[in-house]
Amino acid sequence: MSRRPRATTVKVANYRDMDSDLSFNQTVSSDDDSEEWRPAEPKLKAPRKTARAPAAEEKKAPAKRAAKPKEPKAPKQPKAPKEPKPRVPRKPAAGRKAPAQKDSGAPRLAGTKRKKKDEGTNDEKIGEDKGEKQTDCTEGERAEESGPSIRMKEERVSFIVSEAHQAERVADEGSSQAGLRPKKEEVEEEDFTFDEPCQKKQKTDGVYLGQPSTFPSSGAQALRNELNMNWDLIELLSTFTCVERWVCVNIIALLREENTVPFMVRYRKEMINHMDADAVRDVQLVYEEICSLAKKTQSVIQTLKKDGVLTPELEGNLRSCRSADELDHVYAPYKKGSKLTKARRAKALGLEVAASALMDTPHTLDLRAWVKPSTEGLSSVEEVTTGVEHILSDMMAKDPETLTYVKTLCENSYVTIQSSVSKSALKEKEQDKSGRSQKQPQAQQNKNKDMDKFHLYFNFNCNIQRIQSHQTLAINRGESLKILTVKVNIPDRVKSDFTRWCINNRWRPRTFARAELQAVIRNAVEDSYKRLILPFLTRSYRTKLTSAAEKESIAMFVQNLRQRLLVRPVRGCVIMGVDPGFRHGCKLAVLSHTSQILYTDVVYLHNSGQQKEADKLRHLMTKYSCTRVVIGNGTACRETESFFADLISRRFFHPLDVSYCITNEAGASIYSVSPEAVKEMPDLDPNLRSAVSIGRRVQDPLAELVKIDPKHIGIGTYQHDVSAGALKAALDSVVQECVSFVGVDINICSETLMRHVAGLNAGRARSIAEWREQNGPFINREQLKLVKGMGPKSYQQCAGFIRINPQTLHSATSSPHPPSAAPEKPAAKKGKGKACVNIPTSFDPLDQTCIHPESYHVAQRFLSIVGGSADQIGSAGLQQCVESKVRASSIEELARTVDTTVETLKLIIDGITQPPGFDIRQNFGQEDFKRGIVSMSDLRVGTVLTGRVDNTALFGAFVDIGVGRSGLIHKKYITPDKLPVRQRRRSLALGPGERVEVRVLNVDPQRGRIGLDLIRVLE
């Protein structure tokens, strides 16, 4: 039905913000009844954009690089595509192009025209502003990086986000970000440390660009043909991730070439604009979701074509969908087995013509003429009226402009989320009090415990824009346990304003309508709002909140795991690992400084005969010169710690200076019975294996913790309330990053550790271990090419992260192993096409550095310029030569001289100036060893203590202060003025392993809770 233009003004001031929250480009779901909301996995939320020709978009990109006075002229051309996007409500299957072709001069709403014009203008301004902001951003970065000083100990690790990026990412969050997380414009100061800034926002004008900003036309067209969608992949990815187009182009190209994230972050910095690993991974995930959306769209189109219901308009709508939600809305009415909606039943009776007449020519409509007494649904005027109302309600619920307007109203209103105790939970509680549920006392007791956990949410009400992520996850968990009832409250003013706008503007008949027909329209508006629009808004709000909360929770897991893996190793000493226990005794494992098992035993420290066990411990300590004891934090930990503290205070181990530490033993018991542990320690009892694991976690945390599934390490909160797949992928990526950036000594590392290096997997790691066993140690990186399954791409990805340590190489070659040079030819014949590979058999000093083999020729050229040689790597003399050369010439000039990029040259300088055996973890925290013990009863309010962050949650940080219980620093006490400058703009201000000074606020011995206030972070 066509609509005449109205003279009234439509409020569209905030449309561009609302468009980005939920996508309503196409037809919305036609389900009538409100469905019960369930927490869903994060889905892509696409901001809707005005349809425009691809040519217009391509003209827009070069406009950024051209002179700015010419920019406003370029976007005037896209006015032509106004026709394909009329705001006229049509049938569900009607597309956007059909009405335009049918009547190109059809009148439209004045508000619609203004909106389209404003959107085009806004796009221009956004592009202009974006360029200006980008230029401002990188000034600090370049100033920081272009200095002549060389920071030897920084290997420019990707996961230590630079201060400049962290400080500036928060400053500019693009408006298109609103669709990816709940809008939080009003941020209190106390909430700042745990609000998640836009970590992917990368501003790039003014920095070195290693690649052109657009695909070649042939490549872009091939990509579009491959996806076969109506939108531009690069533009969509840039919009969703708030990353510049040229960076998105480079990341897509690198991903399609099968490059890993660690490789890109370290060796392709200039192409990805110095993004950290988390930001690159986010872009990768969004890119994969977009490709998955395109694949799902093709599947839906094939299904509809097979069913015979696919029309050109419907296919165009499907190919224009920019999110999985939007695709579901368009496809929902056509799914097999879906219930026949009220609107479809009315259309099947032929009432769609009457509904069209009501809007176009109401003066000619007589509903009594549609009455057919013998037909169900048309037997009376009331039934005909109801059918027409259902059709109009469905049209309103699917109209993009109508939905955009109601979303604008909600955005400007006080929308809240409310939780309360469910009726079933109250009923069970009453039954428990009356003594009726005595049959299952244990189950009921657990249920009551669960209810007590949610007492904060029994009468909870919060603004939907200010609710915290941990609150969202807690409410979801309570709802899934049927303890809480949750609903979203939208003010009644929204309904009244929406009804008034629909009746007087958008859904006003073209000609005069009688009172009874006006009543039909009013009833249709109210029915559409109550039955279709309101449930849809509720589900959308809940889904957005859950997606944002899951994302922040996973970010917390990622940070906690990263800092747990990067704890500084305790090297060069013999360690005794203790797995404490009561009945079955304490398991001991004495480990050499190289983590070899020297002795294992079980001692009973908490039974009679303690003096005998103490003498045994002293004998072991003296025999193996062991001065460090590592106690697991499991059962009997406190008693075991007290036992050792008492012996140390009595100088029982004199002349040895013995100290101990408590470490997290999460996952040790699981690992002790795993196939990896059985293969590594086949002759040991599983209980003794856990003691070995506890000791090795302090000697080399990274090498030991990679053997355990990350979800068993005991990090983060709400582990079971987030998407299991997304959590596993994120944690596995972090393990790969940490292992790769620390680097592995290929001649001594375990097969388990090797499989986490970028470019390697379980099969290649096994092949490397087998090659090493058969042929002896690797002499250089080039020999990796002889390993079965190691192709050029795998070698490129892993070579820079693998080290050949000359000390371990010398010790390995001095042992009785066959020489590695002789068997090279037979080994080469194993691999396909490797027999003709010419591999050198001499050691290359550059193989012990972080420099990639592809840059060896550049490194040699640079060494010749500074007057050094590869044999001097890590020496003080070479470092002085490099420093003097850099002071004499800038990094940029030296990079041009050796014909490389600035980032590659910085990496080369790091590699040749760092001392042999350099470990990036030496700047991280280490386990705290102590000699005395403090109990919880010794604490007093106001006492100042030092401790180490044990774990962080969305609501605060847990700190181990050495009293057997971790204290909680609530996030409201983690304020910017108490943090170092480098942490003030980090979304998760504190992480595991950081040393802090705290003040005791309160002590609750009965509940075992300690409240702390953060004084400062200790460097």
Side-chain angles (χ1 to χ4, degrees):
M1 65 197 76
S2 58
R3 303 291 310 281
R4 78 163 186 266
R6 305 299 308 171
T8 51
T9 303
V10 182
K11 299 177 183 178
V12 292
N14 295 326
Y15 276 5
R16 65 180 175 85
D17 292 335
M18 289 307 303
D19 284 349
S20 61
D21 282 352
L22 297 171
S23 44
F24 296 105
N25 289 354
Q26 312 299 331
T27 315
V28 186
S29 171
S30 61
D31 287 349
D32 293 354
D33 303 324
S34 61
E35 301 175 5
E36 182 181 354
W37 181 90
R38 300 186 189 120
E41 290 192 14
K43 292 184 179 179
L44 214 53
K45 294 289 181 183
R48 181 171 60 80
K49 291 200 171 183
T50 307
R52 55 178 78 116
E57 285 299 314
E58 294 180 4
K59 290 178 183 177
K60 203 170 175 184
K64 291 183 181 180
R65 304 182 184 278
K68 284 193 175 180
K70 297 183 180 179
E71 276 189 24
K73 298 180 181 179
K76 290 185 179 179
Q77 298 179 5
K79 279 190 174 182
K82 281 169 68 176
E83 295 180 0
K85 195 177 180 184
R87 294 291 182 181
V88 182
R90 303 295 297 175
K91 301 177 184 180
R96 297 181 179 180
K97 296 183 181 178
Q101 293 171 355
K102 187 175 182 180
D103 184 9
S104 59
R108 297 177 182 82
L109 287 174
T112 307
K113 293 180 181 179
R114 277 195 302 276
K115 180 179 175 182
K116 292 180 181 179
K117 185 174 180 180
D118 292 344
E119 283 178 355
T121 309
N122 288 341
D123 287 344
E124 293 178 41
K125 293 179 179 178
I126 290 171
E128 246 179 309
D129 295 342
K130 194 174 183 183
E132 294 173 3
K133 291 177 183 177
Q134 290 168 350
T135 307
D136 295 340
C137 166
T138 52
E139 296 281 300
E141 295 174 14
R142 296 171 63 192
E144 185 180 19
E145 294 177 356
S146 61
S149 62
I150 303 170
R151 285 174 284 181
M152 178 188 67
K153 291 188 178 180
E154 277 193 32
E155 203 176 354
R156 292 171 181 85
V157 191
S158 68
F159 45 75
I160 306 176
V161 184
S162 67
E163 298 163 19
H165 280 309
Q166 287 289 359
E168 291 166 347
R169 280 179 199 149
V170 182
D172 295 293
E173 292 195 9
S175 61
S176 60
Q177 213 182 350
L180 299 177
R181 56 176 60 89
K183 185 176 179 182
K184 294 186 179 179
E185 292 179 350
E186 307 170 7
V187 180
E188 292 181 353
E189 186 176 349
E190 66 176 23
D191 294 337
F192 127 88
T193 49
F194 287 93
D195 286 339
E196 184 173 3
C198 179
Q199 296 197 12
K200 300 181 290 296
K201 185 73 175 177
Q202 304 287 327
K203 303 168 190 128
T204 54
D205 282 5
V207 300
Y208 178 82
L209 306 185
Q211 292 290 318
S213 61
T214 56
F215 266 142
S217 57
S218 57
Q221 188 60 38
L223 200 58
R224 178 182 285 267
N225 293 339
E226 181 180 334
L227 297 179
N228 199 13
M229 300 294 282
N230 291 343
W231 32 255
D232 184 356
L233 171 64
I234 306 299
E235 178 191 0
L236 197 63
L237 185 62
S238 176
T239 301
F240 286 164
T241 59
C242 304
V243 174
E244 281 72 10
R245 286 177 60 95
W246 72 269
V247 181
C248 292
V249 167
N250 290 342
I251 291 177
I252 289 177
L254 290 169
L255 290 174
R256 290 170 70 86
E257 293 171 1
E258 300 180 355
N259 291 285
T260 60
V261 172
F263 178 81
M264 289 189 281
V265 170
R266 173 169 287 182
Y267 300 111
R268 298 293 184 265
K269 286 183 180 181
E270 67 281 353
M271 292 183 66
I272 62 173
N273 188 35
H274 313 86
M275 291 170 67
D276 59 39
D278 289 336
V280 175
R281 192 189 313 111
D282 287 343
V283 176
Q284 180 185 16
L285 291 176
V286 175
Y287 170 64
E288 291 173 353
E289 288 180 359
I290 292 175
C291 293
S292 176
L293 171 67
K295 186 176 180 181
K296 184 178 179 181
T297 302
Q298 303 303 328
S299 176
V300 168
I301 290 175
Q302 293 299 323
T303 301
L304 295 178
K305 186 181 294 184
K306 185 177 180 181
D307 295 341
V309 295
L310 184 67
T311 63
E313 293 80 9
L314 178 59
E315 183 176 357
N317 289 342
L318 290 170
R319 295 193 187 279
S320 298
C321 293
R322 300 189 172 201
S323 70
D325 276 350
E326 192 175 343
L327 180 64
D328 290 339
H329 295 332
V330 178
Y331 178 48
Y334 306 95
K335 286 182 179 179
K336 287 183 177 180
S338 61
K339 62 180 180 180
L340 196 62
T341 62
K342 294 179 179 179
R344 291 181 65 182
R345 286 197 293 267
K347 290 177 182 179
L349 295 173
L351 291 178
E352 190 173 7
V353 178
S356 301
L358 176 58
M359 300 306 299
D360 294 336
T361 57
H363 59 283
T364 64
L365 178 63
D366 183 7
L367 295 178
R368 290 188 296 272
W370 292 84
V371 176
K372 295 180 182 179
S374 59
T375 305
E376 184 180 357
L378 300 175
S379 58
S380 65
V381 176
E382 290 76 13
E383 290 186 353
V384 172
T385 302
T386 302
V388 172
E389 289 175 359
H390 289 161
I391 293 175
L392 291 177
S393 299
D394 185 66
M395 293 166 61
M396 294 171 186
K398 294 176 180 178
D399 179 49
E401 187 170 345
T402 302
L403 293 173
T404 301
Y405 184 80
V406 74
K407 285 164 53 187
T408 305
L409 293 177
C410 290
E411 191 72 14
N412 297 328
S413 302
Y414 189 78
V415 181
T416 62
I417 184 170
Q418 177 184 348
S419 67
S420 57
V421 190
S422 65
K423 294 181 180 179
S424 60
L426 286 175
K427 187 177 179 180
E428 290 179 3
K429 194 172 184 179
E430 291 174 0
Q431 288 177 352
D432 181 55
K433 287 182 179 179
S434 61
R436 297 177 188 172
S437 59
Q438 305 256 338
K439 298 179 182 178
Q440 297 178 343
Q442 187 63 38
Q444 190 62 38
Q445 188 177 1
N446 294 338
K447 182 75 172 179
N448 290 337
K449 284 184 178 179
D450 286 339
M451 287 189 65
D452 293 339
K453 292 177 183 177
F454 296 97
H455 72 278
L456 293 175
Y457 302 99
F458 284 173
N459 188 19
F460 179 81
N461 198 348
C462 182
N463 186 347
I464 212 161
Q465 294 182 355
R466 299 185 64 84
I467 187 171
Q468 301 298 308
S469 296
H470 68 275
Q471 295 172 330
T472 300
L473 295 175
I475 288 173
N476 290 349
R477 182 188 292 182
E479 186 180 33
S480 65
L481 295 174
K482 299 186 178 179
I483 295 175
L484 300 178
T485 299
V486 187
K487 64 178 180 178
V488 175
N489 296 321
I490 297 178
D492 294 336
R493 183 179 64 84
V494 173
K495 178 182 177 181
S496 58
D497 290 352
F498 172 74
T499 303
R500 188 183 309 113
W501 178 80
C502 287
I503 294 174
N504 296 331
N505 293 274
R506 180 63 178 159
W507 298 94
R508 182 175 175 181
R510 294 189 61 183
T511 61
F512 173 75
R514 300 184 301 277
E516 61 269 20
L517 297 182
Q518 290 283 2
V520 171
I521 297 176
R522 175 177 289 275
N523 292 338
V525 172
E526 294 179 351
D527 176 64
S528 178
Y529 179 82
K530 179 180 179 181
R531 184 169 56 88
L532 300 174
I533 296 177
L534 190 59
F536 177 77
L537 291 175
T538 300
R539 291 193 301 270
S540 300
Y541 275 124
R542 294 292 306 278
T543 302
K544 282 202 306 178
L545 289 178
T546 301
S547 299
E550 286 187 351
K551 182 176 181 181
E552 190 164 346
S553 181
I554 290 175
M556 179 73 68
F557 274 96
V558 164
Q559 185 195 6
N560 288 353
L561 177 61
R562 179 178 289 131
Q563 297 204 225
R564 184 70 59 81
L565 293 175
L566 294 177
V567 171
R568 188 170 62 193
V570 177
R571 302 188 187 277
C573 62
V574 179
I575 282 181
M576 175 183 288
V578 181
D579 184 7
F582 287 118
R583 182 181 301 176
H584 300 289
C586 298
K587 281 68 69 178
L588 306 179
V590 181
L591 307 175
S592 70
H593 66 281
T594 58
S595 296
Q596 299 299 314
I597 302 173
L598 302 178
Y599 181 83
T600 58
D601 199 356
V602 179
V603 293
Y604 298 87
L605 306 181
H606 312 300
N607 299 332
S608 58
Q610 290 185 346
Q611 185 59 40
K612 179 181 177 182
E613 302 294 354
D615 292 337
K616 181 188 290 187
L617 288 174
R618 179 166 57 184
H619 171 71
L620 291 175
M621 293 282 196
T622 306
K623 179 179 179 181
Y624 296 105
S625 301
C626 179
T627 58
R628 297 286 188 269
V629 179
V630 180
I631 304 172
N633 64 346
T635 306
C637 166
R638 192 65 176 162
E639 291 75 11
T640 305
E641 178 188 10
S642 177
F643 182 84
F644 275 96
D646 178 63
L647 295 180
I648 292 173
S649 65
R650 293 192 284 122
R651 299 175 60 84
F652 187 76
F653 301 111
H654 185 76
L656 296 177
D657 182 16
V658 177
S659 58
Y660 70 90
C661 74
I662 308 296
T663 192
N664 192 326
E665 67 173 31
S669 57
I670 296 176
Y671 163 72
S672 64
V673 294
S674 66
E676 289 83 0
V678 174
K679 182 179 179 181
E680 186 178 0
M681 298 172 279
D683 301 328
L684 274 187
D685 181 85
N687 294 321
L688 295 174
R689 290 177 193 150
S690 62
V692 173
S693 178
I694 289 171
R696 286 176 174 174
R697 288 183 183 203
V698 174
Q699 282 189 317
D700 194 346
L702 179 62
E704 189 63 25
L705 291 176
V706 295
K707 303 173 184 177
I708 303 167
D709 193 329
K711 65 184 179 183
H712 297 314
I713 296 179
I715 51 174
T717 54
Y718 298 100
Q719 173 175 321
H720 303 289
D721 298 298
V722 301
S723 168
L727 179 61
K728 186 178 187 307
L731 297 184
D732 289 346
S733 298
V734 172
V735 173
Q736 185 187 62
E737 293 159 20
C738 293
V739 173
S740 299
F741 292 137
V742 170
V744 297
D745 187 340
I746 194 66
N747 288 320
I748 61 172
C749 71
S750 65
E751 180 183 326
T752 306
L753 185 63
M754 261 191 291
R755 69 179 61 161
H756 293 287
V757 176
L760 300 183
N761 53 25
R764 296 190 188 105
R766 191 182 311 112
S767 298
I768 291 175
E770 292 173 355
W771 195 97
R772 191 172 59 191
E773 291 175 3
Q774 296 172 5
N775 305 307
F778 287 88
I779 296 178
N780 52 53
R781 285 172 171 169
E782 289 288 319
Q783 287 185 322
L784 287 169
K785 296 178 179 179
L786 301 175
V787 176
K788 179 181 179 181
M790 185 70 69
K793 178 56 69 174
S794 300
Y795 175 78
Q796 179 197 40
Q797 299 301 304
C798 74
F801 306 118
I802 286 176
R803 307 281 192 272
I804 308 293
N805 191 324
Q807 296 178 351
T808 57
L809 176 62
H810 176 73
S811 61
T813 51
S814 61
S815 61
H817 277 291
S820 60
E824 279 181 9
K825 292 182 180 179
K829 294 177 183 178
K830 292 181 182 178
K832 190 175 182 180
K834 294 186 179 181
C836 59
V837 177
N838 186 16
I839 302 298
T841 57
S842 58
F843 171 71
D844 191 335
L846 293 175
D847 287 340
Q848 61 183 313
T849 68
C850 60
I851 303 171
H852 198 278
E854 66 184 10
S855 302
Y856 279 4
H857 64 287
V858 179
Q860 294 289 359
R861 200 177 305 147
F862 179 75
L863 284 170
S864 63
I865 290 176
V866 300
S869 65
D871 295 331
Q872 297 176 293
I873 285 178
S875 64
L878 181 61
Q879 184 178 349
Q880 292 176 359
C881 293
V882 172
E883 287 179 352
S884 60
K885 190 66 178 179
V886 171
R887 278 194 295 267
S889 304
S890 66
I891 292 285
E892 290 77 8
E893 183 179 345
L894 288 173
R896 286 192 295 269
T897 303
V898 296
D899 191 21
T900 189
T901 64
V902 173
E903 289 303 325
T904 301
L905 182 57
K906 287 180 180 178
L907 193 64
I908 290 173
I909 292 175
D910 283 340
I912 64 177
T913 56
Q914 288 163 352
F918 174 79
D919 193 334
I920 62 171
R921 293 173 292 176
Q922 67 186 37
N923 294 326
F924 290 79
Q926 192 179 43
E927 293 286 355
D928 288 325
F929 286 87
K930 51 188 178 180
R931 295 172 178 81
I933 186 171
V934 180
S935 65
M936 194 170 176
S937 59
D938 297 332
L939 294 179
R940 297 289 182 271
V941 175
T943 304
V944 176
L945 303 166
T946 60
R948 189 175 295 279
V949 177
D950 182 54
N951 198 3
T952 55
L954 296 173
F955 47 82
F958 292 96
V959 180
D960 180 8
I961 53 177
V963 298
R965 282 277 185 176
S966 293
L968 173 65
I969 306 176
H970 193 272
K971 69 174 186 177
K972 67 182 177 182
Y973 298 119
I974 308 175
T975 54
D977 58 297
K978 300 176 183 179
L979 300 172
V981 176
R982 63 182 175 82
Q983 291 176 246
R984 290 186 181 178
R985 282 300 179 185
R986 218 167 69 186
S987 63
L988 308 172
L990 294 176
E994 295 190 80
R995 297 186 66 247
V996 292
E997 187 176 19
V998 296
R999 181 184 293 108
V1000 178
L1001 295 179
N1002 53 74
V1003 182
D1004 187 351
Q1006 292 183 347
R1007 303 173 71 187
R1009 295 188 175 182
I1010 305 170
L1012 302 174
D1013 179 22
L1014 176 65
I1015 298 177
R1016 63 191 178 101
V1017 177
L1018 302 175
E1019 297 292 342

